[in-house]
Amino acid sequence: MTAVDVTAVAKSYGTTTVLSDITQTFGEGTFTSLLGPSGSGKTTLLRIVAGFVKPDAGVVRIGERDVTDVPVWSRNIGMVFQSYALFPHMSVAQNVGFGLGRRGIRGAKAKAEVERALEMVRLPGYGDRYPRQLSGGQQQRVALARAIVIRPDVLLLDEPLSALDRRLRQEMQVELLRIQRESGLTTIFVTHDQEEALTLSDSVAILDRGRIVQVGRPAEVYERPKTRFAAEFLGDANFLTGTVRGGAVEIADSMIATEGPLPVEGSQATIAVRPEKIAIDGAEAMPAAPDEPTNRLRAKVLSVIYSGTSLTYLLRSGELSLKVFAQNSLGRPLDSGTDVVLSWAPRHSVVLAD
Amino acid sequence: MLRIARLYIALVLVFLYLPIVVMAAMGFNASPLYALPFEFSTRWYQDLAGNDRLIEAGWNSIWLAVLTSVLATVFGTLAALALWRRSFRGRNLLRILLLPPIAIPWLITGTAMLVFFFWTGIGRGLHAMLIGHVALAIPYVVLVVGTGLQTMRADLEEAAMSLGSTPVHAFFRVTLPLLLPSIVGAALFAFAVSLDQFVISYFLSVPGMTTLPVEIYSAIRKGFTPEINAISTILLVASMIIILGFARFARPGGLGDSR
Amino acid sequence: MPAEAGAAGAPATTRFRPPPWLATAALLLPSYAWLTLAVLLPLGTMFAFSFLEATPLGNRPVEWTLRHYRAFHDQPYLLGVAWTSLSIGLWTTAICAVVGFATALALVRATAGRSRETLLILLLLPFWTNGLVRVFSWTMVIRGGGFLDVAARSVWPDAPSLGFLYTQPAIVLGLVHGYLPYMVLTCYIALLAIDDAVIEAAMSLGARWPTILFRILVPLAMPGLVTGAILIFVPVIGAFMEPRILGGRVGVTMGTVIEDQFTQAFNWPLGSALAFTMLAVVLGVFATFSGVLRRTAQA
């Protein structure tokens, strides 16, 4: 088990900067997701750690060893590719045993290791089959077994679940997490699926245009996004921009309270509020005394998206467009045009840095 | 509508195959003047067995095709690896340079070779034909193998390297086995290109050092005999078998498709 | 390969590996050296020869001239020959376009699966057999007293001879037979790419078959038609073996005239100049239609 350190890594192709000044430690035995839209540089970062791409500047360390100039084949990594990249001309056992052979492990010992790895991914006895005889999920497991059987220092996963359908993907997420916990491998996982990143990771790193904009535990990153990009990319958010006045933010004629530290009096501030944190009530339910520690906003329902278990309201409050998620507990959504009052606790008003 | 369409395809097939069948049948007709009614005879094939000129030309053709196939396949495969697996400046220009041997009428390429080989002292003969045939076959090999490389995903090589293979090891254990159907297909194709090549051989041949198509041409110009039908039939059947073999091997994806 | 790029300039601890460009050059060298020797240098030399006064034999002094490029002006009969070549080329291309497009269309719309695959192979197979032999095989059919006559007389014993060997239509027939598979293949690929839904959409809007054919299928398959036409027209105007065998005395084309300069008249400079004039026409055709193709591809 080994930590991976990336220090001041930069990469550009011609005039296009793909990564700029990335410094990040991937802790021993942790599961870190690199999350970002396409073109954010997440795959390039993974390929730099793998050794397929040489950084223009910076250092990559796996454990104590500086591997910046070490070619892929001498790095001892395990990698699972988006398309699995199983060798079609080799049986499952030959695929899984490929890396062992490169490490001089052959014969009975290799056979035992292969069988154990296949048991770990719950495909015991599949050794004699060929990749084309397997389903997508099974191919995925073989690819994983092939990557972990060599006891790599780090496990690199390049969107390995994106080719699977939804049901299978959820199943594989559970499997992946179990195998990662059992093997204790330091794991770096590239994905553009936010839910997947939140479910699986010890730590989520959000990338935007070649920079890591926020890293942290999933709940921390979700509940306390630092930037508008982070708030928007991970989950949904309403953005309220106003002027700081007396420890609150003034938007139109409402004062929005928050628990976070605010910029200086009189400056502009943007607040993010997650749509599921907002409660929606009929206008007549508005209490007379607005002195409770709750943010309130009058709004009008523009439209409702009905999706069975939940409802999405699109609303307008003055110049603001808002979105609210509600449970469908009454079984009867509000009609569009209804005047309502929105309310949420000040701790759900997250002050953004930009 | 469907009926008419299928009947039409059948008519086109008749148009394509009728003359060939007639020609082949006449090779088994006893009359030297192609006179009918048809009377079965293997006489012309027996005559063929005693025709040293044609037999020698036949062997020349086969040897030339074998050598062309080997050289063009090795060289073309190497070039395809560079053109489809490496990025470098001028790659597109090099790909375009493959087109002249395919796109320029053979009459022009052939006469140009004649002029150049004469002028440089390379001269004419089987060695000159070999130079010409290999040059004609290389672009086809590059394109066939390149297509094979394109359908084979590059991440297989990366996967091998992530498991500890050096690029050389990855090539021999992963790339080459998966590319083999394309390479075999390309070799058959190159063989067929050389075996059927007439125009360039015609300009580069000297009496006594000719290939089968050149001999057939001069025989046709002297006057038809059923012996020509016999040798033509043999040549035709041989190329058809080779090309069917090619179609079997070079099916896009071949073994390389894991999806 | 990025991995190799990473190895360049590696510290002394890693084994020396040659720079990646060296490996690339080594892979490319055999093929391109060969192509240079066998195709590019010959074309260059022939270009130079086309400016020589006469074939350089013995110790005759080398004199440069442009007069071979004036051949069409000096020897007006060449204009007639060029016209013959051009009309043979146009007829062959046009017939191939109509017959080949229809074949490809029938293949795409009326067959499927394995039978389609087999039919396609059958349609393309003759193309990869010896062209000379196939041209020869037509003489068996269209000569006086050949298969065509025998077939006709089995129906009507007193039929006049239908044989038309040694005529221009015979040349065109042989060339169509030789190059039709090109057009079938290029049109097949183009037609295969057309989504069925487009045709269904047209039918739902009330279009009948002629409309669908000329307003949808032909325009959408235009790149295939144009590619096929280029692939046929270019070699056909350089053909010399087909006109000789099927055309006999009437088979005088640019191809046979050029061939004569090299094999009979031994006037290599004139042959070279004529060949390069023809090459210029070929390149002109390419340039014109590659523009058309690019525009269609963008549309």
Side-chain angles (χ1 to χ4, degrees), chain C residues 62-235:
Chain C
V62 173
E63 275 178 67
W64 302 94
T65 174
L66 277 172
R67 79 180 168 91
H68 301 299
Y69 282 93
R70 285 203 318 264
F72 283 98
H73 181 261
D74 299 342
Q75 287 155 288
Y77 86 97
L78 280 175
L79 284 175
V81 173
W83 173 243
T84 308
S85 284
L86 207 59
S87 73
I88 288 176
L90 291 174
W91 272 109
T92 305
T93 310
I95 294 173
C96 281
V98 174
V99 177
F101 182 87
T103 311
L105 188 61
L107 208 56
V108 170
R109 312 254 16 130
T111 66
R114 270 210 91 99
S115 63
R116 177 194 285 180
E117 214 171 284
T118 311
L119 284 173
L120 186 67
I121 290 176
L122 276 177
L123 285 166
L124 300 184
L125 189 57
F127 184 70
W128 292 110
T129 60
N130 197 298
L132 176 69
V133 168
R134 280 183 298 143
V135 168
F136 169 60
S137 73
W138 273 109
T139 64
M140 297 286 115
V141 176
I142 58 174
R143 60 204 275 273
F147 178 83
L148 194 62
D149 281 356
V150 171
R153 279 167 195 157
S154 70
V155 181
W156 180 31
D158 297 323
S161 174
L162 296 173
F164 58 104
L165 189 58
Y166 307 132
T167 63
Q168 194 163 315
I171 301 173
V172 173
L173 179 76
L175 288 168
V176 167
H177 187 245
Y179 293 97
L180 181 64
Y182 262 147
M183 189 61 89
V184 173
L185 185 63
T186 57
C187 288
Y188 174 77
I189 292 168
L191 286 170
L192 209 55
I194 299 174
D195 193 343
D196 276 354
V198 173
I199 295 162
E200 281 162 13
M203 287 164 106
S204 77
L205 295 169
R208 286 166 198 281
W209 270 106
T211 318
I212 290 173
L213 181 62
F214 290 107
R215 295 285 302 277
I216 296 178
L217 292 175
V218 171
L220 282 176
M222 199 44 92
L225 274 166
V226 172
T227 308
I230 292 175
L231 288 175
I232 292 169
F233 186 76
V234 168

